[in-house]
Amino acid sequence: MLQDLQVLEIPTKTNFRGINTREIAIFHGPNGWSEFSPFIEYGDAEAKVWLKAALEGAYKPHPKLAREKIEINATLPKVEVNKVEEILNLFPGAKVVKIKFDDFSKDAILIEKVLEVLPQARIRLDINGGWSLDSARKNLELILAKYLQFIDYFEQPCERLSELKTLKSEFGIKIAADESIRKNLDSDLSSLREYVDIAIIKWQPIGGFRAAQELVKLIGLPVVVSSALESGLGISKGLELAGALDVDLACGLGTVGLLESDIVNEPLEISNGEIAISPRTPNLKAIEKFQASEERRTWWISRISRIMESGGFDEYLN
């Protein structure tokens, strides 16, 4: 794995999750190219799950697909309102828009602008667990009073499952869980359907194809497969996962457009709001352009070596 490891630094078009550069590692195995890209601030324990996915993607057979294309949603980061239309244009044909959302008083203007550009759009608001129960109630009252008919669901409005269940009961809204899943993979998630309506599943943070398929079967909820701001190599695995799960909901897998450039030879083109599922390979010119320093490569090699020394990877490499 480490022999042909490439570490890349790809600028983003907007400030996404507080970063302006996406740092990733890519490598090749008998079943194709794969990507390992936990965010820099993640500790080894969390990154270990991502590494299992990355190794599976390169060294193990991929799942059987139930479809050839995946419907995607547009993803709108926290941007100035004059940038909204430009961002939405990166997702041609998308009928659903996911908005990173903090507070009604500051971010309702983003909903307004989205509906101005796409009057029939379905809106998903992603709060990333940022509301207390009280602030959630206040924000939901304001949002639902004005935009109820456009709302698809609220993604992780609060951190605790008990709070999500309360909001679901009090407001009769659909709630999707993201952090409640990927940050609690060691917990018993079999009762998750009692708290939320939809599961957000991500290829790397969940631990790869098999782990995701087993989890989806366990929780028994409708699924949205989403990205972790990966390159086209990582996104292609997310598309395969969505195709294997035969999801019916638009997935958050169009985010490569938020990067300055992709790094693959086979572009993840969005046509009529869909992306075709197919293997992707890295473009040599792009690899050269975004090559990280030797210091950063050494940092990633040290990170990977340290994680692998903790054990639990034999099944992926044998």
Side-chain angles (χ1 to χ4, degrees), residues 158-176:
C158 298
E159 184 176 348
R160 296 184 181 89
L161 282 175
S162 59
E163 295 171 328
L164 300 182
K165 186 175 183 179
T166 297
L167 295 177
K168 176 177 162 63
S169 173
E170 290 182 357
F171 290 90
I173 55 175
K174 286 189 176 181
I175 292 180

Side-chain angles (χ1 to χ4, degrees), residues 2 10 21 25 27 33 51 116 125 136 166 194 204 214-215 220 226 259 290 302 309 314:
L2 297 178
I10 310 173
T21 301
F27 62 98
W33 284 87
L51 185 55
E116 178 185 320
L125 297 182
T166 297
E194 298 176 15
Q204 280 193 89
E214 290 175 353
L215 178 62
S226 194
L259 301 176
F290 298 116
S302 176
E309 286 171 3
D314 288 350

Side-chain angles (χ1 to χ4, degrees), residues 68 110 138 148:
E68 297 179 349
L110 296 178
K138 293 173 183 176
L148 174 61

Side-chain angles (χ1 to χ4, degrees), residues 88-104:
L88 294 180
N89 286 339
L90 299 173
F91 306 89
K95 301 176 180 66
V96 181
V97 181
K98 171 178 168 176
I99 303 174
K100 292 288 186 178
F101 199 87
D102 287 337
D103 181 80
F104 181 86

Side-chain angles (χ1 to χ4, degrees), residues 173-286:
I173 55 175
K174 286 189 176 181
I175 292 180
D178 177 6
E179 287 84 355
S180 288
I181 296 174
R182 59 184 174 85
K183 300 231 180 240
N184 296 287
L185 293 176
D186 293 332
S187 304
D188 180 7
L189 295 171
S190 60
S191 62
L192 190 65
R193 68 180 70 87
E194 298 176 15
Y195 300 89
V196 300
D197 304 280
I198 295 158
I200 307 297
I201 301 295
K202 300 179 178 180
W203 167 66
Q204 280 193 89
I206 297 300
F209 299 124
R210 188 181 65 186
Q213 288 173 302
E214 290 175 353
L215 178 62
V216 169
K217 184 177 180 180
L218 173 70
I219 60 181
L221 284 169
V223 168
V224 169
V225 179
S226 194
S227 82
L229 196 62
E230 293 129 322
S231 78
L233 292 178
I235 294 287
S236 68
K237 305 297 189 297
L239 289 166
E240 285 186 77
L241 176 58
L245 294 173
D246 196 20
V247 296
D248 295 320
L249 302 173
C251 291
L253 295 168
T255 55
V256 78
L258 299 176
L259 301 176
E260 179 185 295
S261 173
D262 199 3
I263 60 164
V264 296
N265 289 311
E266 307 83 5
L268 279 80
E269 294 181 352
I270 302 172
S271 176
N272 194 30
E274 296 178 323
I275 301 179
I277 305 171
S278 68
R280 264 75 182 189
T281 57
N283 179 279
L284 295 181
K285 289 184 178 179

